[in-house]
Amino acid sequence: MMKIIPTSSIKQLDAYTIEHEPIASIDLMERAAQALTDAIVTRWTDKNTPFTVFAGPGNNGGDALAVARLLAERGYQSDVYLFNTKGQLSEDCGMNRDRLAGVKGVNFHEVTTQFVPPTLTAGHVVVDGLFGSGLNKPLGGGFAAVVKYVNASPAQVVSIDIPSGLMGEDNSYNIQAHIIRADLTLSLQLPKLAFLFAENAPYVGEWQLLDIGLSSEAIGQADTDYALTEAKDVLPMLKPRDKFAHKGSFGHAMLIAGSQGMAGASILAAKACLRSGVGLLTVHVPFCNNTIVQTAVPEAMTELDYSETCFSEYADTDDYRAVALGPGLGRRPETEEAVLQQIDSCQTPMVVDADALNILGEHREYLNRLPQGSILTPHPKELERLVGTCRNSFERLDKARQLARTAQVHIILKGAYSAVITPEGRCWFNSTGNPGMATGGSGDVLTGVLLALLAQGYETTVAARLGVYIHGLAGDLYRKRQGMTGLTAGDLVQMLPAAWHSLEEATVAGS
């Protein structure tokens, strides 16, 4: 588990490390600068690459000055601009300024009044060390002007820890034009929450974590509701299969999906469920889809709705361990009524997706009637139908957490870093997946995976975290073999066995 710690607490991690390692603050900065320099020279191997370093008056600027010195030691040339307009440098920044004196390969400028901008070409690399993660208000004045100048240039930009001007969590009231647009962000030790939000991608660019040896004990003790799920986290979640198990051991699931012209959604979800270890699957379908589903998914049983064309009357789910509701249902009046009746009558954990979510959005009072252990799987627009319009991803996540608490449900907010949100408001971001998965039917596949895991008796938080991880892993495995552009939801289904196999093999190897 990789914690995502509020930027307001980062100084506490530094202080704990300094006290308990123990290590001097300036030496910790030197260690960070070594890691930053290693990452930079790995990316830009040509020692003729011209570097321009912009350093602010705080410790982020101290990091940048130390990087300039270390680059010089490795044979690189750099122009360095230290902005000291108030005559107030942090202690470590001041020490690194003094260490630059007489260093060959560094053309140093300390800006105290007038700043004459240097020429920045497409061949230049700008090292952005103006401001770090401690920023709590938008940049203004001369610093905003420097940011605009850098952004207007064709140079490549590397930001130290976080792009200058970007706040680590909430940027609702920030000024976009006053944020550095980095090509690469070298984050120290841990990611920032802001990195995981789509609207910040133009500023963060590619981000890379650098281990600078902050105290693992301090990180372990740090209080946060946010974390990133990694491979090492999901391996212990996987349940071993007993040698004498039978199909009843792995649960009987019901999938309520499909309508006339939308049989595909039920097929994708059903196949994904069957390829994720469920013992038995029954698909509740309108009569018009019966032959289609039975032909496409012979391993599944069907239960026929009274309607020829849509879901029109709730199903008896007492004999099932888990239920999924929503893919391809449509929005007919009789379907809307049946969805609400299904929620009212069901005592079994449910996965609620697609049209069922949209119906809930118009009948929000039913959110509190969902069975215990249920999972909602909205994409951003579906979530907004439940919680109202959101200005940005931070507000959307915050409202999703409020909804999870009030309705006492799990929510999977789907996206590039799908967030699993628990009824306690805890957020687990997913680390697998790629843009090729942004295709019709991908969500139906996830619904099937989640349904299978709940039916097998996985605890809801585990089912949600494991489900989104394996769903993304299937997409990543396909990407390695065939690329992203041609990826379809059906390909995700086909790659699920390989994804599960990779986890099983890793579990055996680690045991």
Side-chain angles (χ1 to χ4, degrees):
M1 176 186 72
M2 180 180 293
K3 287 187 173 182
I4 302 170
I5 295 173
T7 49
S8 58
S9 301
I10 296 297
K11 285 186 177 180
Q12 298 171 23
L13 296 183
D14 292 344
Y16 189 98
T17 303
I18 289 166
E19 180 181 354
H20 290 83
E21 185 170 335
I23 184 173
S25 175
I26 189 67
D27 293 332
L28 181 60
M29 181 175 284
E30 189 74 5
R31 192 157 73 192
Q34 288 282 2
L36 289 161
T37 306
D38 288 344
I40 290 170
V41 300
T42 298
R43 188 72 61 106
W44 287 278
T45 57
D46 184 358
K47 293 187 178 181
N48 291 318
T49 302
F51 282 87
T52 302
V53 178
F54 292 113
N59 282 349
N60 194 253
D63 291 332
L65 297 177
V67 166
R69 172 170 43 79
L70 294 173
L71 283 172
E73 289 178 3
R74 301 192 191 194
Y76 291 81
Q77 304 280 323
S78 62
D79 292 308
V80 179
Y81 295 84
L82 170 60
F83 294 87
N84 187 17
T85 54
K86 295 183 178 180
Q88 295 177 341
L89 299 180
S90 73
E91 183 178 353
D92 290 344
C93 184
M95 291 181 69
N96 269 305
R97 174 195 60 184
D98 296 342
R99 288 179 176 182
L100 276 179
V103 173
K104 293 183 179 179
V106 174
N107 184 18
F108 178 73
H109 311 267
E110 185 165 354
V111 180
T112 56
T113 51
Q114 190 70 24
F115 170 56
V116 179
T119 300
L120 297 175
T121 70
H124 278 79
V125 176
V126 169
V127 176
D128 160 38
L130 292 172
F131 289 94
S133 59
L135 195 70
N136 56 17
K137 62 181 180 180
L139 293 182
F143 285 112
V146 174
V147 167
K148 290 179 179 179
Y149 179 76
V150 172
N151 288 345
S153 80
Q156 297 179 82
V157 180
V158 183
S159 285
I160 293 175
D161 201 30
I162 190 170
S164 293
L166 185 70
M167 297 174 207
E169 289 82 36
D170 185 6
N171 285 274
S172 300
Y173 300 101
N174 210 339
I175 302 172
Q176 294 183 351
H178 297 181
I179 305 172
I180 283 285
R181 290 177 172 263
D183 297 287
L184 174 65
T185 298
L186 299 174
S187 187
L188 303 178
Q189 199 71 46
L190 298 169
K192 315 299 184 281
L193 185 63
F195 294 178
L196 309 182
F197 298 149
E199 61 267 22
N200 296 333
Y203 312 109
V204 177
E206 176 191 348
W207 58 274
Q208 180 182 340
L209 293 181
L210 301 181
D211 186 351
I212 63 167
L214 292 184
S215 168
S216 58
E217 184 178 2
I219 294 170
Q221 294 173 355
D223 186 29
T224 179
D225 285 327
Y226 307 105
L228 195 67
T229 297
E230 301 177 285
K232 63 182 179 181
D233 303 318
V234 299
L235 295 180
M237 298 179 188
L238 202 60
K239 290 185 176 183
R241 292 206 155 200
D242 189 274
K243 184 177 181 66
F244 295 98
H246 52 84
K247 60 188 177 185
S249 305
F250 303 113
H252 192 172
M254 170 167 276
L255 170 64
I256 302 172
S259 58
Q260 188 172 38
M262 294 290 289
S266 54
I267 291 169
L268 288 167
K271 286 184 173 182
C273 183
L274 288 162
R275 289 188 176 274
S276 295
V278 75
L280 293 164
L281 174 64
T282 295
V283 188
H284 183 99
V285 294
F287 185 81
C288 67
N289 286 350
N290 184 53
T291 302
I292 301 171
V293 173
Q294 291 222 305
T295 302
V297 197
E299 301 90 346
M301 299 170 281
T302 58
E303 176 183 277
L304 297 183
D305 194 275
Y306 289 112
S307 170
E308 173 78 23
T309 58
C310 67
F311 176 47
S312 67
E313 189 161 342
Y314 73 93
D316 182 356
T317 56
D318 288 348
D319 294 333
Y320 298 90
R321 194 182 283 183
V323 176
L325 176 69
L329 287 184
R331 297 288 304 277
R332 296 188 184 189
E334 59 267 44
T335 299
E336 185 170 320
E337 184 177 348
V339 165
L340 299 178
Q341 288 176 338
Q342 191 69 57
I343 291 171
D344 244 351
S345 66
C346 190
Q347 302 300 314
T348 304
M350 302 180 76
V351 182
V352 183
D353 185 31
D355 289 318
L357 284 172
N358 293 326
I359 290 169
L360 269 178
E362 295 183 1
H363 300 273
R364 299 182 194 183
E365 68 276 13
Y366 278 80
L367 286 164
N368 292 314
R369 305 185 193 182
L370 288 162
Q372 186 175 2
S374 292
I375 304 173
L376 308 183
T377 62
H379 57 59
K381 286 297 181 185
E382 289 169 338
L383 180 78
E384 290 192 358
R385 294 181 189 118
L386 295 169
V387 301
T389 303
C390 304
R391 289 169 296 177
N392 54 34
S393 298
F394 180 85
E395 183 180 3
R396 191 175 298 114
L397 180 66
D398 191 50
K399 286 188 175 181
R401 294 176 67 205
Q402 294 176 35
L403 176 61
R405 289 191 188 100
T406 56
Q408 284 296 290
V409 296
H410 284 71
I411 295 174
I412 297 175
L413 182 53
K414 295 185 290 195
Y417 296 96
S418 292
V420 173
I421 306 168
T422 71
E424 297 76 36
R426 190 91 185 264
C427 298
W428 302 92
F429 292 93
N430 187 47
S431 59
T432 58
N434 61 76
M437 297 172 66
T439 184
S442 181
D444 303 325
V445 175
L446 176 61
T447 293
V449 174
L450 297 169
L451 175 61
L453 294 174
L454 289 178
Q456 289 170 76
Y458 281 87
E459 186 270 329
T460 307
T461 302
V462 172
R465 291 177 65 195
L466 181 56
V468 295
Y469 186 91
I470 206 75
H471 180 250
L473 181 59
D476 290 342
L477 291 175
Y478 184 89
R479 178 185 183 178
K480 288 180 180 178
R481 298 184 186 184
Q482 302 285 347
M484 290 190 294
T485 304
L487 175 59
T488 68
D491 296 324
L492 292 176
V493 173
Q494 295 299 318
M495 292 305 298
L496 281 171
W500 288 115
H501 177 65
S502 69
L503 286 192
E504 290 163 2
E505 289 294 294
T507 302
V508 171
S511 61

